[in-house]
Each structure stands twice: as structure tokens, then as C-alpha cells.
PDB file of all heavy atoms in Angstrom:
ATOM      1  N   PRO R 288       3.600   9.107  10.537  1.00 94.00           N
ATOM      2  CA  PRO R 288       4.266  10.311   9.944  1.00 94.00           C
ATOM      3  C   PRO R 288       4.875  10.069   8.611  1.00 94.00           C
ATOM      4  O   PRO R 288       5.528   9.104   8.405  1.00 94.00           O
ATOM      5  CB  PRO R 288       5.378  10.498  11.033  1.00 94.00           C
ATOM      6  CG  PRO R 288       4.936   9.894  12.274  1.00 94.00           C
ATOM      7  CD  PRO R 288       4.113   8.719  11.838  1.00 94.00           C
ATOM      8  N   GLY R 289       4.504  11.028   7.684  1.00 93.00           N
ATOM      9  CA  GLY R 289       5.106  10.990   6.349  1.00 93.00           C
ATOM     10  C   GLY R 289       4.553   9.915   5.441  1.00 93.00           C
ATOM     11  O   GLY R 289       5.098   9.644   4.389  1.00 93.00           O
ATOM     12  N   ALA R 290       3.467   9.204   5.886  1.00 96.00           N
ATOM     13  CA  ALA R 290       2.969   8.102   5.118  1.00 96.00           C
ATOM     14  C   ALA R 290       2.284   8.660   3.800  1.00 96.00           C
ATOM     15  O   ALA R 290       1.761   9.739   3.692  1.00 96.00           O
ATOM     16  CB  ALA R 290       1.861   7.351   5.858  1.00 96.00           C
ATOM     17  N   VAL R 291       2.432   7.812   2.735  1.00 96.00           N
ATOM     18  CA  VAL R 291       1.813   8.047   1.500  1.00 96.00           C
ATOM     19  C   VAL R 291       0.472   7.334   1.431  1.00 96.00           C
ATOM     20  O   VAL R 291       0.497   6.098   1.766  1.00 96.00           O
ATOM     21  CB  VAL R 291       2.728   7.666   0.315  1.00 96.00           C
ATOM     22  CG1 VAL R 291       1.954   7.809  -1.000  1.00 96.00           C
ATOM     23  CG2 VAL R 291       4.002   8.286   0.273  1.00 96.00           C
ATOM     24  N   ASN R 292      -0.642   8.003   1.165  1.00 97.00           N
ATOM     25  CA  ASN R 292      -1.919   7.267   1.096  1.00 97.00           C
ATOM     26  C   ASN R 292      -2.294   6.910  -0.248  1.00 97.00           C
ATOM     27  O   ASN R 292      -2.572   7.787  -1.124  1.00 97.00           O
ATOM     28  CB  ASN R 292      -2.967   8.156   1.792  1.00 97.00           C
ATOM     29  CG  ASN R 292      -4.373   7.514   1.782  1.00 97.00           C
ATOM     30  OD1 ASN R 292      -5.278   8.257   1.567  1.00 97.00           O
ATOM     31  ND2 ASN R 292      -4.452   6.225   2.055  1.00 97.00           N
ATOM     32  N   ILE R 293      -2.269   5.561  -0.561  1.00 98.00           N
ATOM     33  CA  ILE R 293      -2.806   5.023  -1.793  1.00 98.00           C
ATOM     34  C   ILE R 293      -3.748   3.942  -1.502  1.00 98.00           C
ATOM     35  O   ILE R 293      -3.292   2.849  -1.175  1.00 98.00           O
ATOM     36  CB  ILE R 293      -1.681   4.580  -2.733  1.00 98.00           C
ATOM     37  CG1 ILE R 293      -0.661   5.674  -3.034  1.00 98.00           C
ATOM     38  CG2 ILE R 293      -2.270   4.103  -4.097  1.00 98.00           C
ATOM     39  CD1 ILE R 293       0.485   5.163  -3.929  1.00 98.00           C
ATOM     40  N   PRO R 294      -5.082   4.223  -1.514  1.00 97.00           N
ATOM     41  CA  PRO R 294      -6.012   3.098  -1.131  1.00 97.00           C
ATOM     42  C   PRO R 294      -5.753   1.921  -2.041  1.00 97.00           C
ATOM     43  O   PRO R 294      -5.421   2.073  -3.198  1.00 97.00           O
ATOM     44  CB  PRO R 294      -7.309   3.707  -1.394  1.00 97.00           C
ATOM     45  CG  PRO R 294      -7.137   5.208  -1.147  1.00 97.00           C
ATOM     46  CD  PRO R 294      -5.723   5.444  -1.687  1.00 97.00           C
ATOM     47  N   LEU R 295      -5.969   0.744  -1.535  1.00 96.00           N
ATOM     48  CA  LEU R 295      -5.728  -0.486  -2.247  1.00 96.00           C
ATOM     49  C   LEU R 295      -6.355  -0.514  -3.649  1.00 96.00           C
ATOM     50  O   LEU R 295      -5.710  -0.890  -4.657  1.00 96.00           O
ATOM     51  CB  LEU R 295      -6.158  -1.728  -1.436  1.00 96.00           C
ATOM     52  CG  LEU R 295      -5.941  -3.068  -2.130  1.00 96.00           C
ATOM     53  CD1 LEU R 295      -4.445  -3.348  -2.338  1.00 96.00           C
ATOM     54  CD2 LEU R 295      -6.665  -4.183  -1.329  1.00 96.00           C
ATOM     55  N   ALA R 296      -7.621  -0.031  -3.712  1.00 95.00           N
ATOM     56  CA  ALA R 296      -8.294   0.006  -5.038  1.00 95.00           C
ATOM     57  C   ALA R 296      -7.647   0.805  -6.141  1.00 95.00           C
ATOM     58  O   ALA R 296      -7.834   0.624  -7.279  1.00 95.00           O
ATOM     59  CB  ALA R 296      -9.731   0.355  -4.848  1.00 95.00           C
ATOM     60  N   GLU R 297      -6.775   1.798  -5.625  1.00 97.00           N
ATOM     61  CA  GLU R 297      -6.129   2.697  -6.577  1.00 97.00           C
ATOM     62  C   GLU R 297      -4.694   2.350  -6.814  1.00 97.00           C
ATOM     63  O   GLU R 297      -3.968   3.107  -7.468  1.00 97.00           O
ATOM     64  CB  GLU R 297      -6.248   4.182  -6.039  1.00 97.00           C
ATOM     65  CG  GLU R 297      -7.639   4.621  -5.836  1.00 97.00           C
ATOM     66  CD  GLU R 297      -7.838   6.000  -5.181  1.00 97.00           C
ATOM     67  OE1 GLU R 297      -6.735   6.625  -5.180  1.00 97.00           O
ATOM     68  OE2 GLU R 297      -8.851   6.294  -4.591  1.00 97.00           O
ATOM     69  N   LEU R 298      -4.162   1.284  -6.179  1.00 96.00           N
ATOM     70  CA  LEU R 298      -2.806   1.036  -6.159  1.00 96.00           C
ATOM     71  C   LEU R 298      -2.255   0.867  -7.595  1.00 96.00           C
ATOM     72  O   LEU R 298      -1.192   1.346  -7.871  1.00 96.00           O
ATOM     73  CB  LEU R 298      -2.448  -0.189  -5.298  1.00 96.00           C
ATOM     74  CG  LEU R 298      -0.986  -0.513  -4.958  1.00 96.00           C
ATOM     75  CD1 LEU R 298      -0.303   0.636  -4.306  1.00 96.00           C
ATOM     76  CD2 LEU R 298      -0.931  -1.782  -4.140  1.00 96.00           C
ATOM     77  N   GLU R 299      -2.851   0.044  -8.375  1.00 94.00           N
ATOM     78  CA  GLU R 299      -2.371  -0.232  -9.757  1.00 94.00           C
ATOM     79  C   GLU R 299      -2.160   0.976 -10.552  1.00 94.00           C
ATOM     80  O   GLU R 299      -1.064   1.128 -11.206  1.00 94.00           O
ATOM     81  CB  GLU R 299      -3.326  -1.147 -10.413  1.00 94.00           C
ATOM     82  CG  GLU R 299      -2.955  -1.557 -11.802  1.00 94.00           C
ATOM     83  CD  GLU R 299      -2.576  -3.037 -12.037  1.00 94.00           C
ATOM     84  OE1 GLU R 299      -2.877  -3.869 -11.111  1.00 94.00           O
ATOM     85  OE2 GLU R 299      -2.037  -3.366 -13.025  1.00 94.00           O
ATOM     86  N   ARG R 300      -3.019   1.890 -10.562  1.00 95.00           N
ATOM     87  CA  ARG R 300      -2.920   3.091 -11.392  1.00 95.00           C
ATOM     88  C   ARG R 300      -2.048   4.205 -10.785  1.00 95.00           C
ATOM     89  O   ARG R 300      -1.732   5.144 -11.540  1.00 95.00           O
ATOM     90  CB  ARG R 300      -4.289   3.651 -11.794  1.00 95.00           C
ATOM     91  CG  ARG R 300      -5.064   4.263 -10.692  1.00 95.00           C
ATOM     92  CD  ARG R 300      -6.356   4.795 -11.182  1.00 95.00           C
ATOM     93  NE  ARG R 300      -7.209   5.410 -10.137  1.00 95.00           N
ATOM     94  CZ  ARG R 300      -7.038   6.559  -9.596  1.00 95.00           C
ATOM     95  NH1 ARG R 300      -6.095   7.388 -10.156  1.00 95.00           N
ATOM     96  NH2 ARG R 300      -7.823   7.008  -8.673  1.00 95.00           N
ATOM     97  N   ARG R 301      -1.692   4.027  -9.542  1.00 96.00           N
ATOM     98  CA  ARG R 301      -0.867   5.045  -8.900  1.00 96.00           C
ATOM     99  C   ARG R 301       0.528   4.590  -8.480  1.00 96.00           C
ATOM    100  O   ARG R 301       1.200   5.163  -7.613  1.00 96.00           O
ATOM    101  CB  ARG R 301      -1.648   5.623  -7.625  1.00 96.00           C
ATOM    102  CG  ARG R 301      -2.937   6.290  -8.016  1.00 96.00           C
ATOM    103  CD  ARG R 301      -3.687   6.784  -6.806  1.00 96.00           C
ATOM    104  NE  ARG R 301      -2.914   7.685  -5.956  1.00 96.00           N
ATOM    105  CZ  ARG R 301      -3.394   8.082  -4.818  1.00 96.00           C
ATOM    106  NH1 ARG R 301      -4.650   7.748  -4.331  1.00 96.00           N
ATOM    107  NH2 ARG R 301      -2.599   8.923  -4.003  1.00 96.00           N
ATOM    108  N   LEU R 302       0.988   3.528  -9.080  1.00 94.00           N
ATOM    109  CA  LEU R 302       2.350   2.935  -8.767  1.00 94.00           C
ATOM    110  C   LEU R 302       3.436   4.019  -9.007  1.00 94.00           C
ATOM    111  O   LEU R 302       4.410   3.939  -8.314  1.00 94.00           O
ATOM    112  CB  LEU R 302       2.602   1.749  -9.597  1.00 94.00           C
ATOM    113  CG  LEU R 302       1.807   0.448  -9.263  1.00 94.00           C
ATOM    114  CD1 LEU R 302       2.128  -0.625 -10.311  1.00 94.00           C
ATOM    115  CD2 LEU R 302       2.177   0.043  -7.901  1.00 94.00           C
ATOM    116  N   GLY R 303       3.262   4.979  -9.984  1.00 92.00           N
ATOM    117  CA  GLY R 303       4.265   5.975 -10.146  1.00 92.00           C
ATOM    118  C   GLY R 303       4.544   6.854  -8.908  1.00 92.00           C
ATOM    119  O   GLY R 303       5.495   7.531  -8.946  1.00 92.00           O
ATOM    120  N   GLU R 304       3.649   6.835  -7.909  1.00 93.00           N
ATOM    121  CA  GLU R 304       3.872   7.632  -6.749  1.00 93.00           C
ATOM    122  C   GLU R 304       4.812   6.990  -5.749  1.00 93.00           C
ATOM    123  O   GLU R 304       5.213   7.631  -4.794  1.00 93.00           O
ATOM    124  CB  GLU R 304       2.556   7.937  -6.062  1.00 93.00           C
ATOM    125  CG  GLU R 304       1.590   8.735  -6.949  1.00 93.00           C
ATOM    126  CD  GLU R 304       0.225   8.978  -6.337  1.00 93.00           C
ATOM    127  OE1 GLU R 304       0.116   9.107  -5.117  1.00 93.00           O
ATOM    128  OE2 GLU R 304      -0.788   9.015  -7.112  1.00 93.00           O
ATOM    129  N   LEU R 305       5.136   5.705  -6.054  1.00 94.00           N
ATOM    130  CA  LEU R 305       6.079   5.068  -5.080  1.00 94.00           C
ATOM    131  C   LEU R 305       7.546   5.091  -5.763  1.00 94.00           C
ATOM    132  O   LEU R 305       7.648   4.724  -6.910  1.00 94.00           O
ATOM    133  CB  LEU R 305       5.631   3.566  -4.985  1.00 94.00           C
ATOM    134  CG  LEU R 305       4.320   3.351  -4.246  1.00 94.00           C
ATOM    135  CD1 LEU R 305       3.917   1.896  -4.237  1.00 94.00           C
ATOM    136  CD2 LEU R 305       4.313   4.002  -2.795  1.00 94.00           C
ATOM    137  N   PRO R 306       8.446   5.547  -5.026  1.00 87.00           N
ATOM    138  CA  PRO R 306       9.846   5.649  -5.562  1.00 87.00           C
ATOM    139  C   PRO R 306      10.436   4.231  -5.837  1.00 87.00           C
ATOM    140  O   PRO R 306      10.231   3.336  -5.052  1.00 87.00           O
ATOM    141  CB  PRO R 306      10.677   6.347  -4.390  1.00 87.00           C
ATOM    142  CG  PRO R 306       9.876   6.156  -3.217  1.00 87.00           C
ATOM    143  CD  PRO R 306       8.432   6.090  -3.655  1.00 87.00           C
ATOM    144  N   VAL R 307      10.969   4.134  -7.038  1.00 82.00           N
ATOM    145  CA  VAL R 307      11.592   2.837  -7.430  1.00 82.00           C
ATOM    146  C   VAL R 307      12.889   2.678  -6.647  1.00 82.00           C
ATOM    147  O   VAL R 307      13.672   3.601  -6.533  1.00 82.00           O
ATOM    148  CB  VAL R 307      11.862   2.863  -8.991  1.00 82.00           C
ATOM    149  CG1 VAL R 307      12.569   1.528  -9.383  1.00 82.00           C
ATOM    150  CG2 VAL R 307      10.537   2.965  -9.734  1.00 82.00           C
ATOM    151  N   GLY R 308      13.134   1.436  -6.250  1.00 85.00           N
ATOM    152  CA  GLY R 308      14.407   1.109  -5.620  1.00 85.00           C
ATOM    153  C   GLY R 308      14.434   1.445  -4.166  1.00 85.00           C
ATOM    154  O   GLY R 308      15.473   1.290  -3.493  1.00 85.00           O
ATOM    155  N   LYS R 309      13.332   1.938  -3.592  1.00 90.00           N
ATOM    156  CA  LYS R 309      13.355   2.176  -2.117  1.00 90.00           C
ATOM    157  C   LYS R 309      12.388   1.220  -1.437  1.00 90.00           C
ATOM    158  O   LYS R 309      11.298   1.011  -1.953  1.00 90.00           O
ATOM    159  CB  LYS R 309      12.863   3.684  -1.920  1.00 90.00           C
ATOM    160  CG  LYS R 309      13.072   4.135  -0.502  1.00 90.00           C
ATOM    161  CD  LYS R 309      12.794   5.661  -0.395  1.00 90.00           C
ATOM    162  CE  LYS R 309      12.942   6.220   0.954  1.00 90.00           C
ATOM    163  NZ  LYS R 309      12.637   7.650   1.012  1.00 90.00           N
ATOM    164  N   GLU R 310      12.786   0.763  -0.287  1.00 94.00           N
ATOM    165  CA  GLU R 310      11.821  -0.225   0.436  1.00 94.00           C
ATOM    166  C   GLU R 310      10.506   0.423   0.806  1.00 94.00           C
ATOM    167  O   GLU R 310      10.485   1.688   1.114  1.00 94.00           O
ATOM    168  CB  GLU R 310      12.589  -0.622   1.710  1.00 94.00           C
ATOM    169  CG  GLU R 310      11.733  -1.709   2.462  1.00 94.00           C
ATOM    170  CD  GLU R 310      12.293  -2.109   3.773  1.00 94.00           C
ATOM    171  OE1 GLU R 310      13.223  -1.389   4.249  1.00 94.00           O
ATOM    172  OE2 GLU R 310      11.724  -3.007   4.402  1.00 94.00           O
ATOM    173  N   VAL R 311       9.467  -0.321   0.669  1.00 96.00           N
ATOM    174  CA  VAL R 311       8.178   0.109   0.998  1.00 96.00           C
ATOM    175  C   VAL R 311       7.632  -0.705   2.170  1.00 96.00           C
ATOM    176  O   VAL R 311       7.875  -1.912   2.183  1.00 96.00           O
ATOM    177  CB  VAL R 311       7.211  -0.022  -0.135  1.00 96.00           C
ATOM    178  CG1 VAL R 311       5.747   0.374   0.305  1.00 96.00           C
ATOM    179  CG2 VAL R 311       7.648   0.843  -1.378  1.00 96.00           C
ATOM    180  N   VAL R 312       7.114  -0.027   3.189  1.00 97.00           N
ATOM    181  CA  VAL R 312       6.406  -0.732   4.322  1.00 97.00           C
ATOM    182  C   VAL R 312       4.951  -0.327   4.294  1.00 97.00           C
ATOM    183  O   VAL R 312       4.581   0.856   4.338  1.00 97.00           O
ATOM    184  CB  VAL R 312       7.006  -0.399   5.689  1.00 97.00           C
ATOM    185  CG1 VAL R 312       6.236  -1.027   6.762  1.00 97.00           C
ATOM    186  CG2 VAL R 312       8.532  -0.877   5.718  1.00 97.00           C
ATOM    187  N   ALA R 313       4.034  -1.268   4.092  1.00 97.00           N
ATOM    188  CA  ALA R 313       2.654  -1.069   3.962  1.00 97.00           C
ATOM    189  C   ALA R 313       1.943  -1.433   5.313  1.00 97.00           C
ATOM    190  O   ALA R 313       2.304  -2.319   5.967  1.00 97.00           O
ATOM    191  CB  ALA R 313       2.075  -1.861   2.844  1.00 97.00           C
ATOM    192  N   TYR R 314       0.830  -0.656   5.589  1.00 97.00           N
ATOM    193  CA  TYR R 314       0.117  -0.866   6.756  1.00 97.00           C
ATOM    194  C   TYR R 314      -1.400  -0.504   6.509  1.00 97.00           C
ATOM    195  O   TYR R 314      -1.688   0.253   5.480  1.00 97.00           O
ATOM    196  CB  TYR R 314       0.536  -0.116   7.986  1.00 97.00           C
ATOM    197  CG  TYR R 314       0.258   1.353   8.005  1.00 97.00           C
ATOM    198  CD1 TYR R 314      -0.868   1.867   8.593  1.00 97.00           C
ATOM    199  CD2 TYR R 314       1.145   2.229   7.412  1.00 97.00           C
ATOM    200  CE1 TYR R 314      -1.189   3.140   8.597  1.00 97.00           C
ATOM    201  CE2 TYR R 314       0.844   3.622   7.392  1.00 97.00           C
ATOM    202  CZ  TYR R 314      -0.345   4.089   7.968  1.00 97.00           C
ATOM    203  OH  TYR R 314      -0.616   5.428   7.996  1.00 97.00           O
ATOM    204  N   CYS R 315      -2.279  -0.992   7.277  1.00 96.00           N
ATOM    205  CA  CYS R 315      -3.680  -0.600   7.241  1.00 96.00           C
ATOM    206  C   CYS R 315      -4.337  -0.537   8.589  1.00 96.00           C
ATOM    207  O   CYS R 315      -3.839   0.178   9.428  1.00 96.00           O
ATOM    208  CB  CYS R 315      -4.480  -1.488   6.233  1.00 96.00           C
ATOM    209  SG  CYS R 315      -4.408  -3.255   6.602  1.00 96.00           S
ATOM    210  N   ARG R 316      -5.412  -1.189   8.814  1.00 97.00           N
ATOM    211  CA  ARG R 316      -6.238  -1.029  10.014  1.00 97.00           C
ATOM    212  C   ARG R 316      -5.833  -1.831  11.273  1.00 97.00           C
ATOM    213  O   ARG R 316      -6.119  -1.456  12.321  1.00 97.00           O
ATOM    214  CB  ARG R 316      -7.680  -1.367   9.740  1.00 97.00           C
ATOM    215  CG  ARG R 316      -8.370  -0.484   8.719  1.00 97.00           C
ATOM    216  CD  ARG R 316      -9.720  -0.937   8.304  1.00 97.00           C
ATOM    217  NE  ARG R 316     -10.393  -0.089   7.360  1.00 97.00           N
ATOM    218  CZ  ARG R 316     -11.194  -0.563   6.404  1.00 97.00           C
ATOM    219  NH1 ARG R 316     -11.427  -1.819   6.174  1.00 97.00           N
ATOM    220  NH2 ARG R 316     -11.770   0.342   5.547  1.00 97.00           N
ATOM    221  N   GLY R 317      -5.038  -2.941  11.010  1.00 95.00           N
ATOM    222  CA  GLY R 317      -4.674  -3.743  12.097  1.00 95.00           C
ATOM    223  C   GLY R 317      -4.126  -5.031  11.664  1.00 95.00           C
ATOM    224  O   GLY R 317      -3.968  -5.202  10.401  1.00 95.00           O
ATOM    225  N   PRO R 318      -3.783  -5.940  12.576  1.00 92.00           N
ATOM    226  CA  PRO R 318      -3.075  -7.209  12.236  1.00 92.00           C
ATOM    227  C   PRO R 318      -3.887  -8.057  11.306  1.00 92.00           C
ATOM    228  O   PRO R 318      -3.299  -8.930  10.548  1.00 92.00           O
ATOM    229  CB  PRO R 318      -2.753  -7.818  13.578  1.00 92.00           C
ATOM    230  CG  PRO R 318      -3.702  -7.261  14.467  1.00 92.00           C
ATOM    231  CD  PRO R 318      -3.947  -5.814  14.011  1.00 92.00           C
ATOM    232  N   TYR R 319      -5.243  -8.014  11.315  1.00 93.00           N
ATOM    233  CA  TYR R 319      -6.040  -8.910  10.541  1.00 93.00           C
ATOM    234  C   TYR R 319      -6.683  -8.102   9.299  1.00 93.00           C
ATOM    235  O   TYR R 319      -7.588  -8.725   8.613  1.00 93.00           O
ATOM    236  CB  TYR R 319      -7.145  -9.597  11.267  1.00 93.00           C
ATOM    237  CG  TYR R 319      -6.496 -10.378  12.473  1.00 93.00           C
ATOM    238  CD1 TYR R 319      -6.868 -10.161  13.738  1.00 93.00           C
ATOM    239  CD2 TYR R 319      -5.493 -11.369  12.227  1.00 93.00           C
ATOM    240  CE1 TYR R 319      -6.380 -10.843  14.776  1.00 93.00           C
ATOM    241  CE2 TYR R 319      -4.960 -12.006  13.288  1.00 93.00           C
ATOM    242  CZ  TYR R 319      -5.338 -11.773  14.622  1.00 93.00           C
ATOM    243  OH  TYR R 319      -4.820 -12.405  15.666  1.00 93.00           O
ATOM    244  N   CYS R 320      -6.240  -6.913   9.051  1.00 93.00           N
ATOM    245  CA  CYS R 320      -6.760  -6.114   7.959  1.00 93.00           C
ATOM    246  C   CYS R 320      -6.168  -6.680   6.705  1.00 93.00           C
ATOM    247  O   CYS R 320      -4.979  -6.799   6.499  1.00 93.00           O
ATOM    248  CB  CYS R 320      -6.478  -4.698   8.152  1.00 93.00           C
ATOM    249  SG  CYS R 320      -7.007  -3.707   6.697  1.00 93.00           S
ATOM    250  N   VAL R 321      -6.998  -7.055   5.705  1.00 94.00           N
ATOM    251  CA  VAL R 321      -6.543  -7.739   4.454  1.00 94.00           C
ATOM    252  C   VAL R 321      -5.825  -6.758   3.513  1.00 94.00           C
ATOM    253  O   VAL R 321      -5.193  -7.197   2.584  1.00 94.00           O
ATOM    254  CB  VAL R 321      -7.670  -8.442   3.739  1.00 94.00           C
ATOM    255  CG1 VAL R 321      -8.285  -9.501   4.679  1.00 94.00           C
ATOM    256  CG2 VAL R 321      -8.734  -7.562   3.194  1.00 94.00           C
ATOM    257  N   LEU R 322      -6.183  -5.446   3.619  1.00 95.00           N
ATOM    258  CA  LEU R 322      -5.658  -4.423   2.759  1.00 95.00           C
ATOM    259  C   LEU R 322      -4.122  -4.517   2.566  1.00 95.00           C
ATOM    260  O   LEU R 322      -3.672  -4.523   1.439  1.00 95.00           O
ATOM    261  CB  LEU R 322      -6.177  -3.056   3.058  1.00 95.00           C
ATOM    262  CG  LEU R 322      -7.640  -2.831   3.331  1.00 95.00           C
ATOM    263  CD1 LEU R 322      -7.931  -1.419   3.724  1.00 95.00           C
ATOM    264  CD2 LEU R 322      -8.365  -3.169   2.007  1.00 95.00           C
ATOM    265  N   SER R 323      -3.410  -4.459   3.620  1.00 95.00           N
ATOM    266  CA  SER R 323      -1.962  -4.439   3.546  1.00 95.00           C
ATOM    267  C   SER R 323      -1.449  -5.791   2.935  1.00 95.00           C
ATOM    268  O   SER R 323      -0.433  -5.770   2.205  1.00 95.00           O
ATOM    269  CB  SER R 323      -1.331  -4.209   4.879  1.00 95.00           C
ATOM    270  OG  SER R 323      -1.618  -5.163   5.865  1.00 95.00           O
ATOM    271  N   PHE R 324      -2.013  -6.940   3.257  1.00 95.00           N
ATOM    272  CA  PHE R 324      -1.583  -8.215   2.729  1.00 95.00           C
ATOM    273  C   PHE R 324      -1.725  -8.238   1.301  1.00 95.00           C
ATOM    274  O   PHE R 324      -0.910  -8.634   0.466  1.00 95.00           O
ATOM    275  CB  PHE R 324      -2.329  -9.348   3.324  1.00 95.00           C
ATOM    276  CG  PHE R 324      -1.964  -9.750   4.732  1.00 95.00           C
ATOM    277  CD1 PHE R 324      -2.516  -9.042   5.821  1.00 95.00           C
ATOM    278  CD2 PHE R 324      -0.986 -10.667   4.982  1.00 95.00           C
ATOM    279  CE1 PHE R 324      -2.084  -9.384   7.173  1.00 95.00           C
ATOM    280  CE2 PHE R 324      -0.514 -11.018   6.269  1.00 95.00           C
ATOM    281  CZ  PHE R 324      -1.169 -10.318   7.275  1.00 95.00           C
ATOM    282  N   GLU R 325      -2.895  -7.717   0.800  1.00 95.00           N
ATOM    283  CA  GLU R 325      -3.101  -7.670  -0.681  1.00 95.00           C
ATOM    284  C   GLU R 325      -2.203  -6.702  -1.425  1.00 95.00           C
ATOM    285  O   GLU R 325      -1.679  -6.984  -2.477  1.00 95.00           O
ATOM    286  CB  GLU R 325      -4.556  -7.274  -0.955  1.00 95.00           C
ATOM    287  CG  GLU R 325      -5.651  -8.239  -0.476  1.00 95.00           C
ATOM    288  CD  GLU R 325      -5.672  -9.557  -1.311  1.00 95.00           C
ATOM    289  OE1 GLU R 325      -5.011  -9.579  -2.350  1.00 95.00           O
ATOM    290  OE2 GLU R 325      -6.373 -10.511  -0.863  1.00 95.00           O
ATOM    291  N   ALA R 326      -1.923  -5.577  -0.668  1.00 96.00           N
ATOM    292  CA  ALA R 326      -0.957  -4.556  -1.237  1.00 96.00           C
ATOM    293  C   ALA R 326       0.488  -5.149  -1.432  1.00 96.00           C
ATOM    294  O   ALA R 326       1.096  -5.009  -2.499  1.00 96.00           O
ATOM    295  CB  ALA R 326      -0.980  -3.300  -0.478  1.00 96.00           C
ATOM    296  N   VAL R 327       0.837  -5.798  -0.379  1.00 95.00           N
ATOM    297  CA  VAL R 327       2.150  -6.455  -0.426  1.00 95.00           C
ATOM    298  C   VAL R 327       2.295  -7.417  -1.551  1.00 95.00           C
ATOM    299  O   VAL R 327       3.269  -7.503  -2.320  1.00 95.00           O
ATOM    300  CB  VAL R 327       2.544  -7.052   0.935  1.00 95.00           C
ATOM    301  CG1 VAL R 327       3.733  -7.997   0.853  1.00 95.00           C
ATOM    302  CG2 VAL R 327       2.784  -6.005   2.011  1.00 95.00           C
ATOM    303  N   ALA R 328       1.337  -8.386  -1.644  1.00 94.00           N
ATOM    304  CA  ALA R 328       1.289  -9.395  -2.725  1.00 94.00           C
ATOM    305  C   ALA R 328       1.377  -8.689  -4.013  1.00 94.00           C
ATOM    306  O   ALA R 328       2.143  -9.121  -4.964  1.00 94.00           O
ATOM    307  CB  ALA R 328       0.074 -10.296  -2.604  1.00 94.00           C
ATOM    308  N   ALA R 329       0.530  -7.672  -4.348  1.00 95.00           N
ATOM    309  CA  ALA R 329       0.495  -6.979  -5.627  1.00 95.00           C
ATOM    310  C   ALA R 329       1.801  -6.305  -5.894  1.00 95.00           C
ATOM    311  O   ALA R 329       2.308  -6.344  -7.120  1.00 95.00           O
ATOM    312  CB  ALA R 329      -0.651  -6.034  -5.629  1.00 95.00           C
ATOM    313  N   LEU R 330       2.371  -5.631  -4.938  1.00 95.00           N
ATOM    314  CA  LEU R 330       3.652  -4.903  -5.161  1.00 95.00           C
ATOM    315  C   LEU R 330       4.827  -5.830  -5.361  1.00 95.00           C
ATOM    316  O   LEU R 330       5.755  -5.507  -6.250  1.00 95.00           O
ATOM    317  CB  LEU R 330       3.955  -3.948  -4.024  1.00 95.00           C
ATOM    318  CG  LEU R 330       3.044  -2.750  -3.897  1.00 95.00           C
ATOM    319  CD1 LEU R 330       3.284  -1.920  -2.614  1.00 95.00           C
ATOM    320  CD2 LEU R 330       3.196  -1.834  -5.158  1.00 95.00           C
TER     321      LEU R 330
END
């Protein structure tokens, strides 16, 4: 509910869609899905 969808490949150019100063919790397909790990490292 209420999730913001920014695919990993678009994350760099769409950072402005994430509010500054607010905690972000990222998720993807499951516990071994690399997308959320890469997103966390980049952010």
C-alpha cells in the first residue's frame, strides 16, 4: 500500500521523487532478489 515504484534502472534519474529526510524502505521480488540490495547500496 502506498508504495512508490521506481525500477532500479531508473533510480538514479528519479531520485527527486523520494522525499529528503524521510526513511525509505525498499523491497522487490523476495529475500534473494538483488534489486532491493542494489537500490539500498545506491541510496
Side-chain angles (χ1 to χ4, degrees):
V291 176
N292 180 220
I293 306 179
L295 179 63
E297 303 174 16
L298 187 58
E299 177 114 13
R300 67 178 178 83
R301 294 175 59 184
L302 287 175
E304 298 177 33
L305 296 175
V307 178
K309 191 174 184 180
E310 181 186 11
V311 176
V312 174
Y314 75 92
C315 55
R316 294 170 179 148
Y319 304 124
C320 176
V321 301
L322 303 178
S323 61
F324 283 88
E325 295 290 352
V327 165
L330 289 173

